[in-house]
Amino acid sequence: MAKRLGPNPTFSLVCRVSGTGRFLRIEPAAALEEHDRMTDQLNTARWAGLVSRPDFAEYAEKYRDFFVMRRRDGILELRMHTDGDSYVQTLASHNAWGQAWLEVGNDPENEVLILTGTGDYWLDARRSADGHFDRTVDDIAKMYEDAAKLLQNFVFGVDVPTIAAVNGPGPHTEIALACDITICTEDARFFDPHFLVSTAPGDGQSLTFQELMGTKRAAYHIYTGQAVDARQALEYGMVSEIVPRERLVDRAWELADMIMRRPRGARRMTHAIVSRPWKQRVVNDFPFQLQSQAAALFLDGPRAGRPPVGEELRW
């Protein structure tokens, strides 16, 4: 460690001490500057040849069919969409999530993440349901590989503050609810339809309900499929704010800008603190829940994934 003595950088002396505070020697300032220059060169050489991190332009293009991405001053916005309208869950889009989190989380230029949707729905449940009634055993096996990575890669792979802006009703809000801050529109509704379509809940939505609303409330909403509206979600502690639709994304960016005004260490360590309960919940419960859902699908065969005969599914 070196400490410069005197106001003139050319003629001042430098007192060099060890890390324990023991005096070593006094050097001219020029010697210190030469030492620092050589150290910089050594550091550059030491870190040469690193594998490059993900490139924003490349992965924004790669996932363009599922997310519209924009970044400004370290704030990355991911807007879910399908053909420019509300997001539809397909086998392909379901697969994309877990991979996208790895690249988003591994890009050091991303300092705050905003996740939002397109149009009137967070997820278009009716259009998404069409693809779930014609699945093979191989489809189910692949889906559960993807389901594991979808939540795990988000919770463990994205190490920056996260903000969800829920733009309307829809299932599969598990990632939105697992964000550090979650804001929503007045018409947003949160629900888990798995039990209503004759299978066990397990791919993340029920886990977020249990974490945020408590065991007894979660059990009721899991069994009945009854939606939690925005006001109830605020009361239960599932969301942070309710925002007019026309202000939703702007408000998310206001929060992100506020976070970015703090230094990097404070931002990242605060995220580490507030996201720790999700890491614990995922480690303790998620594998069991996901495996239970898969087991139910295989045990119930053709009855799984559909409401009972004569019972209309309520979205």
Side-chain angles (χ1 to χ4, degrees), residues 52-273:
S52 61
R53 295 293 189 98
D55 178 80
F56 172 72
E58 291 181 0
Y59 63 79
E61 173 68 17
K62 179 178 179 180
Y63 297 103
R64 67 177 183 177
D65 290 340
F66 314 109
F67 309 105
V68 175
M69 301 190 192
R70 62 168 172 152
R71 186 167 67 188
R72 187 200 74 203
D73 300 330
I75 301 170
L76 174 65
E77 179 190 293
L78 263 66
R79 178 169 58 82
M80 307 181 303
H81 79 102
T82 299
D83 298 328
D85 204 346
S86 294
Y87 173 73
V88 175
Q89 185 92 297
T90 65
L91 294 177
S93 62
H94 188 249
N95 172 259
W97 282 83
Q99 297 183 68
W101 296 139
L102 290 177
E103 299 194 64
V104 166
N106 198 30
D107 183 349
E109 300 299 317
N110 296 327
E111 296 288 359
V112 178
L113 172 67
I114 296 172
L115 178 65
T116 191
T118 301
D120 296 331
Y121 298 97
W122 172 259
L123 184 151
D124 190 329
R126 291 186 181 277
R127 292 173 63 199
S128 298
D130 294 341
H132 287 270
F133 295 137
D134 185 26
R135 296 174 298 188
T136 68
V137 171
D138 288 340
D139 290 336
I140 293 171
K142 176 59 178 167
M143 284 179 64
Y144 282 88
E145 290 178 12
D146 293 338
K149 299 305 180 184
L150 192 155
L151 185 59
Q152 289 172 348
N153 288 354
F154 177 75
V155 170
F156 290 101
V158 180
D159 295 325
V160 299
T162 54
I163 301 167
V166 180
N167 58 300
H172 284 298
T173 50
E174 59 268 24
I175 298 298
L177 293 175
C179 284
D180 300 345
I181 297 173
T182 305
I183 63 177
C184 70
T185 57
E186 186 72 48
D187 67 336
R189 293 185 300 137
F190 304 86
F191 56 96
D192 188 340
H194 285 96
F195 190 71
L196 292 185
V197 295
S198 304
T199 193
D203 55 3
Q205 186 73 78
S206 60
L207 180 141
T208 58
F209 279 14
Q210 289 177 321
E211 177 69 22
L212 295 174
M213 70 170 73
T215 302
K216 188 64 70 173
R217 281 175 174 162
Y220 175 76
H221 286 282
I222 288 168
Y223 273 118
T224 65
Q226 181 172 312
V228 179
D229 65 31
R231 291 292 161 185
Q232 285 177 306
L234 186 63
E235 176 188 342
Y236 291 172
M238 299 168 68
V239 302
S240 314
E241 295 180 7
I242 300 173
V243 183
R245 176 175 294 279
E246 64 275 9
R247 285 271 304 135
L248 183 71
V249 175
D250 288 343
R251 177 57 179 154
W253 277 85
E254 287 173 2
L255 290 165
D257 284 332
M258 178 275 293
I259 291 170
M260 280 299 296
R261 288 196 292 272
R262 276 66 190 174
R264 193 170 194 262
R267 294 195 307 265
R268 295 209 168 208
M269 293 305 100
T270 300
H271 170 75
I273 291 167

